[in-house]
Amino acid sequence: MSVFRADVLTLFPEMFPGSLGLSLAGEALKQGTWSLHAHDIRDHGLGRHRAVDDTPAGGGAGMVIRADVLAHAIDAVVQPNDSRPRLLMSPRGKPLTQEMVRTWAKGDGIVIICGRFEGVDERVIEGRNLQEISIGDYILSGGEPAALVLLDACVRLLPGVMGKTESGEDESFENGLLEYPHYTRPREWEGREIPEILLSGDHGKIAKWRREESEWITRERRPDLLKK
Ligand code: SAH
């Protein structure tokens, strides 16, 4: 299988690899488990000032990234036979889920486009078949931190990136539930004890307790997850 390849189109390529150059993702990057290529959209800008944006049609505040410039930048990176998903980070997009991340992590890689200003011209979304993805109901100043979030979530699932393969399967969302609480030494801290059952050595009882805690905490905090 080929290496998971991420191409990111951005006005701030210096923001990459950023946090992905450290820890698990950084090690995996150095070892060639995945590759990251940040491309400057401005390389395709127009005129002496390499303009990438213009004022919104119909008026209003802010600037919009031009369709022609962005399409040119995309076409320089994505060949016609490239089957990787083309994702546009956008607060209007489908909310990012662990399920999407799992699907993408099994593929050949992803292409991510980071917006800035008011966003991008709608026509390039249609014309280049971009899939809009949101990382939550709030507004960032640019798509770069969202791209780092999305890539972090994918890369940790690549074979060999996480220490133990199991440590991916027990996590929040992987089974539709939030995770049970964790404890470690010391056994007593500021008068608080580790729940007795976790020290019992009875793996059946421990698994049952964890399952119940997961269900309880999900019902309490995220009842929407139980409906799915
Ligand atoms: N005017 C837009 C917001 C633009 S924010 C609107 O109201 O929908 C500028 C850029 O930041 C966006 O183009 C997008 O790439 C990125 N961005 C902002 N919030 C985001 C979010 N919640 N998820 C993913 N990307 C986001």
Side-chain angles (χ1 to χ4, degrees):
M1 214 190 79
S2 58
V3 168
F4 184 92
R5 180 183 168 115
D7 284 281
V8 180
L9 284 79
T10 167
L11 286 167
F12 297 95
E14 320 85 285
M15 289 195 191
F16 298 87
S19 57
L20 300 176
L22 302 166
S23 192
L24 289 181
E27 288 306 317
L29 193 54
K30 277 179 214 125
Q31 278 167 24
T33 310
W34 69 296
S35 73
L36 175 61
H37 309 266
H39 308 272
D40 194 345
I41 297 168
R42 200 168 293 282
D43 290 347
H44 303 273
L46 306 173
R48 199 157 52 89
H49 298 291
R50 301 241 148 243
V52 296
D53 56 336
D54 211 328
T55 54
M63 299 294 272
V64 175
I65 298 183
R66 291 174 60 119
D68 50 357
V69 172
L70 185 54
H72 205 253
I74 294 170
D75 295 345
V77 169
V78 185
Q79 308 312 313
N81 64 348
D82 194 330
S83 62
R84 292 176 297 165
R86 291 173 229 171
L87 312 177
L88 171 66
M89 304 321 301
S90 157
R92 298 188 321 180
K94 269 204 187 134
L96 181 66
T97 64
Q98 188 64 16
E99 201 182 340
M100 294 176 183
V101 165
R102 225 183 294 126
T103 306
W104 295 329
K106 285 184 195 134
D108 295 331
I110 39 183
V111 179
I112 305 181
I113 294 131
C114 301
R116 277 273 156 181
F117 322 121
E118 291 312 313
V120 310
D121 188 306
E122 190 72 19
R123 293 170 294 179
V124 74
I125 302 177
E126 296 161 11
R128 290 297 178 274
N129 210 0
L130 306 183
Q131 200 179 331
E132 291 179 79
I133 301 293
S134 166
I135 64 159
D137 292 343
Y138 41 79
I139 305 294
L140 302 168
S141 46
E144 291 78 8
L148 291 171
V149 165
L150 191 154
L151 280 170
D152 182 302
C154 288
V155 167
R156 61 190 289 287
L157 296 182
L158 299 178
V161 173
M162 262 187 293
K164 266 164 98 193
T165 34
E166 308 93 277
S167 62
E169 286 157 19
D170 231 19
E171 227 103 42
S172 289
F173 309 117
E174 284 292 351
N175 55 9
L177 297 173
L178 301 179
E179 202 178 46
Y180 49 80
H182 294 295
Y183 299 89
T184 187
R185 280 181 279 274
R187 185 170 179 154
E188 193 215 297
W189 173 76
E190 294 190 354
R192 294 161 197 270
E193 303 264 354
I194 293 177
E196 198 60 41
I197 198 155
L198 296 178
L199 307 169
S200 69
D202 185 333
H203 296 297
K205 276 197 184 146
I206 292 172
K208 183 166 173 279
W209 180 86
R210 284 178 167 166
R211 175 84 197 176
E212 285 165 3
E213 287 290 311
S214 270
E215 286 170 3
W216 177 84
I217 213 161
T218 308
R219 213 174 306 124
E220 196 70 10
R221 297 186 184 177
R222 294 290 305 278
D224 58 299
L225 293 176
L226 294 172
K227 281 183 206 116
K228 283 178 195 159

